Amino acid sequence: MRGSRSSETCPDIFELSDGSFAVIGTEATAALGAFLPADAARADYERIVVISRDTLIHAKKDIPDV
């Protein structure tokens, strides 16, 4: 299930072979871009993706501390 409430395949967070993490979620760049904190920014090629709190909490045990 990997954090999906509906037993579907997403949202999800997974680790790539290079140690980076990929996130599958709802694209929300247009809706949230103007609300970024003053110390946050994104490049033109980056997108804001929303995942549920449950998804992140479920993934926490799989994310290394270092």
Side-chain angles (χ1 to χ4, degrees):
M1 187 159 81
R2 297 176 60 108
S4 174
R5 288 178 178 251
S6 63
S7 298
E8 297 297 322
T9 57
C10 59
D12 204 351
I13 301 170
F14 54 96
E15 188 170 7
L16 304 174
S17 61
D18 68 357
S20 298
F21 287 87
V23 176
I24 300 171
T26 303
E27 204 283 335
T29 306
L32 298 177
F35 300 102
L36 288 175
D39 61 346
R42 66 168 191 87
D44 288 340
Y45 59 87
E46 295 174 323
R47 300 292 175 258
I48 299 170
V49 178
V50 176
I51 58 170
S52 70
R53 185 177 197 287
D54 283 347
T55 299
L56 187 57
I57 289 170
H58 279 84
K60 184 179 177 182
K61 68 181 183 302
D62 297 317
I63 299 171
D65 291 331
V66 291

